[in-house]
């Protein structure tokens, strides 16, 4: 039986920069993996570790996006950065909640929230970046390279994005 992915990434979600699209696809795949874990009634430690991977990757991705926004002098950088901080706090709170609460509904609530914030943020706030990023390919490439160089995250812990469903391009 193949599980239905919660979110399917489509071209309409593309912000026109490969590194950002790749991050978004990976976050989609982590949320889909979380759904699989919840559906399969995997133990709390397994679900918790996917939540941890999602939180770590989200923070890492926000850093990249903010570096790119700075490189193209995006006028709404401060507002967007504030949105990221709020979202990261929400995901942190969800993870803490998940550790504390023992009821079965929490998995479903968490998934509903994650799906709506990710899709809304990509299609709304991130899409506003598109013209700025697409218009300055050299600045974007340079900032991308610099961020990749400092890449602090060990993605081995988060697994292979291609393994999960819903991350097709
Ligand atoms: Fe963003
Ligand atoms: Fe983003």
């Amino acid at each position: 039986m193949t599980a239905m992915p919660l979110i399917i990434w489509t071209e309409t979600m593309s912000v026109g920069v490969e590194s950002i699209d790749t991050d978004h696809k990976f976050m989609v795949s982590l949320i889909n993996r979380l759904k699989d874990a919840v559906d399969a009634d995997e133990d709390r430690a397994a679900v918790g570790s996917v939540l941890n991977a999602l939180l770590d990757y989200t923070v890492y991705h926000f850093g990249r996006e903010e570096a790119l926004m700075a490189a193209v002098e995006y006028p709404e950088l401060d507002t967007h950065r504030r949105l990221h901080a709020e979202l990261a706090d929400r995901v942190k709170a969800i993870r803490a909640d998940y550790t504390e609460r023992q009821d079965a509904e929490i998995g479903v609530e968490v998934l509903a929230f994650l799906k709506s914030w990710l899709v809304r943020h990509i299609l709304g706030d991130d899409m506003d970046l598109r013209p700025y990023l697409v218009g300055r390919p050299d600045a974007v490439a340079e900032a991308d390279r610099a961020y990749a160089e400092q890449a602090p995250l060990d993605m081995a812990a988060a697994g292979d994005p291609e393994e999960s469903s819903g991350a097709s391009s």
Side-chain angles (χ1 to χ4, degrees):
M1 187 183 90
T2 316
M4 268 294 279
L6 189 65
I7 310 173
I8 295 174
W9 196 91
T10 63
E11 275 305 320
T12 58
M13 290 175 163
S14 172
V15 299
V17 172
E18 197 182 341
S19 62
I20 301 230
D21 286 349
T22 301
D23 279 354
H24 288 159
K25 287 177 197 174
F26 189 63
M27 290 155 82
V28 163
S29 79
L30 284 173
I31 291 176
N32 287 333
R33 189 175 330 154
L34 194 63
K35 176 181 185 278
D36 290 346
V38 168
D39 281 356
D41 236 346
E42 283 178 29
D43 60 48
R44 298 179 69 82
V47 175
S49 85
V50 184
L51 267 177
N52 277 335
L54 179 64
L55 179 59
D56 289 348
Y57 201 84
T58 297
V59 169
Y60 171 73
H61 163 67
F62 286 172
R64 187 199 317 278
E65 218 173 73
E66 287 163 18
L68 265 54
M69 284 192 273
V72 300
E73 289 140 336
Y74 183 57
E76 302 298 325
L77 172 59
D78 287 344
T79 309
H80 201 124
R81 188 179 272 143
R82 209 158 41 236
L83 286 173
H84 282 169
E86 284 167 16
L87 286 170
D89 283 349
R90 291 287 300 273
V91 180
K92 265 177 221 157
I94 277 179
R95 187 181 56 174
D97 232 29
Y98 184 79
T99 323
E100 277 159 26
R101 277 173 54 182
Q102 297 299 322
D103 55 298
E105 288 77 51
I106 181 134
V108 177
E109 286 172 24
V110 160
L111 286 168
F113 167 73
L114 291 174
K115 177 181 175 172
S116 77
W117 88 249
L118 183 63
V119 173
R120 273 215 312 259
H121 187 73
I122 293 175
L123 291 178
D125 309 304
D126 288 351
M127 207 52 75
D128 291 341
L129 302 172
R130 193 186 162 100
Y132 294 88
L133 296 173
V134 170
R136 301 274 305 277
D138 293 347
V140 165
E142 171 59 26
D144 238 351
R145 197 194 47 73
Y147 194 75
E149 227 162 61
Q150 71 167 63
L153 192 68
D154 175 13
M155 282 320 298
D160 179 1
E162 299 306 318
E163 264 175 29
S164 186
S165 51
S168 61
S169 48

